[in-house]
Amino acid sequence: PADPGLGELFDAADRDNAVSAPGVPVEAAQAQILRSQAELFARAMADLDAARERERSAERDDASAADILVCHAFVAGGQSGDSERAFLGTAELVDASLCAGFDYVALGHLHRPQAAGRNGRYPGSLLAYSFGDAGPERGFLSVEVKSGSFEARFIPIAPLRRMIRIDSSFESALSDPRWKQVEGDYVEALLEDADTVLNPVDALRRRFPFLLSVRQAAFERLRAGPADLPVPEDASGPGDTVSDYREFFSQMRGEAPDDEDLRLFTGLLEEVRRAADQA
């Protein structure tokens, strides 16, 4: 037989993943295709509500007991960091209102401690997993739940080593006493120097033995792509070394080299050429 087309394959996949309306067997109802985390979550909540209603009808439900939901989900409106798994679009988001039928919702996924709707809480991760997440305090939640209410208390913990980002010049990072208190932490150094620093890691690591990252503002300006860079008027073509230097200098500094820079470069270039001729 001929191979099925893409449309037929997708139709078959949809049939395999089809579920019925909440509380109704698949074979007894028109199948419903769940295409997002929100739809899947809504279906799960509807099934839980139906199960709880059956318990109440059978008089097996303790009215004084608290209803607690534990789940891993990205609640819409939550603040994510740069260490969570990244998604495109909003298909992974769920609405906090779907959890309204519970007294307390213990949530996992987002790494920052925060509330999610009226009765949901993220304790956050016990440790920061990126420098972008280094700000919020780390800890866990102590929660007392009663029927109809809860009280959550954040208990902070101190990690053995914090994740700290320092913004400074290269010389300041090496000598400024204000960085003394972070020498034993995991450090990311963002060097603000206008000129690039060659091989800064070894020097910085002598002060910060747990250095994990070094970024240079000069390189980040280059990656961002400076706009409206000046074009040399006397460029003699792509093979001209001085023109290449002008272009490189402009990309790195965001401005054209001045006369002193050009004199220094051309002098060094002549020395290199003489040495090459004599070799």
Side-chain angles (χ1 to χ4, degrees):
D3 291 335
L6 284 178
E8 294 178 46
L9 289 175
F10 284 125
D11 288 343
D14 282 345
R15 286 194 298 272
D16 291 340
N17 292 292
V19 296
S20 67
V24 180
V26 174
E27 61 274 12
Q30 177 67 36
Q32 172 192 4
I33 307 302
L34 303 179
R35 299 186 180 276
S36 69
Q37 186 74 7
E39 292 178 0
L40 178 64
F41 201 84
R43 166 60 195 264
M45 292 301 99
D47 283 351
L48 284 173
D49 288 342
R52 291 157 67 195
E53 186 59 37
R54 288 194 297 271
E55 291 291 309
R56 294 189 187 98
S57 299
E59 298 184 349
R60 291 194 297 263
D61 184 47
D62 183 356
S64 64
D67 287 329
I68 300 174
L69 175 66
V70 179
C71 67
H72 186 277
F74 192 161
V75 174
Q79 184 179 12
S80 62
D82 55 8
S83 62
E84 290 99 354
R85 182 180 177 187
F87 293 90
L88 294 177
T90 60
E92 82 280 9
L93 300 180
V94 302
D95 195 316
S97 64
L98 294 171
C99 307
F102 294 87
D103 296 309
Y104 179 71
V105 183
L107 290 161
H109 177 67
L110 299 183
H111 292 176
R112 300 184 179 204
Q114 57 193 292
R118 179 188 63 81
N119 55 348
R121 297 293 182 272
Y122 287 99
S125 58
L126 291 176
L127 297 173
Y129 292 106
S130 72
F131 288 102
D133 288 343
E137 195 171 27
R138 299 291 155 178
F140 59 93
L141 291 173
S142 173
V143 186
E144 294 184 14
V145 186
K146 300 177 181 178
S147 180
S149 67
F150 73 91
E151 181 179 349
R153 184 165 58 97
F154 185 77
I155 310 296
I157 60 173
L160 177 62
R161 304 189 198 285
R162 300 170 297 173
M163 298 191 77
I164 301 294
R165 177 180 285 158
I166 63 174
D167 298 352
S168 76
S169 68
F170 179 59
E171 289 302 323
S172 171
L174 293 178
S175 59
D176 196 319
R178 64 182 166 145
W179 306 126
K180 177 71 176 175
Q181 59 183 342
V182 305
E183 289 177 356
D185 292 316
Y186 296 120
V187 171
E188 178 179 69
L190 175 57
L191 303 182
E192 300 171 338
D193 305 74
D195 297 314
T196 57
V197 181
L198 297 179
N199 302 320
V201 173
D202 289 341
L204 288 169
R205 191 159 279 156
R206 284 194 287 272
R207 183 174 190 187
F208 307 104
F210 302 101
L211 179 75
L212 294 183
S213 170
V214 176
R215 294 162 49 197
Q216 297 201 43
F219 284 126
E220 296 190 359
R221 284 195 299 270
L222 175 62
R223 284 196 293 270
D228 301 324
L229 290 176
V231 178
E233 297 179 359
D234 58 346
S236 59
D240 180 32
T241 305
V242 175
S243 295
D244 292 342
Y245 170 71
R246 286 174 180 270
E247 181 179 358
F248 176 78
F249 189 100
S250 297
Q251 288 179 340
M252 297 300 296
R253 299 292 299 274
E255 60 185 6
D258 59 22
D259 291 342
E260 182 62 29
D261 291 319
L262 288 173
R263 279 195 296 270
L264 177 60
F265 178 77
T266 54
L268 292 172
L269 182 61
E270 287 302 317
E271 290 184 23
V272 170
R273 287 172 173 169
R274 285 196 299 270
D277 291 340
Q278 296 170 2

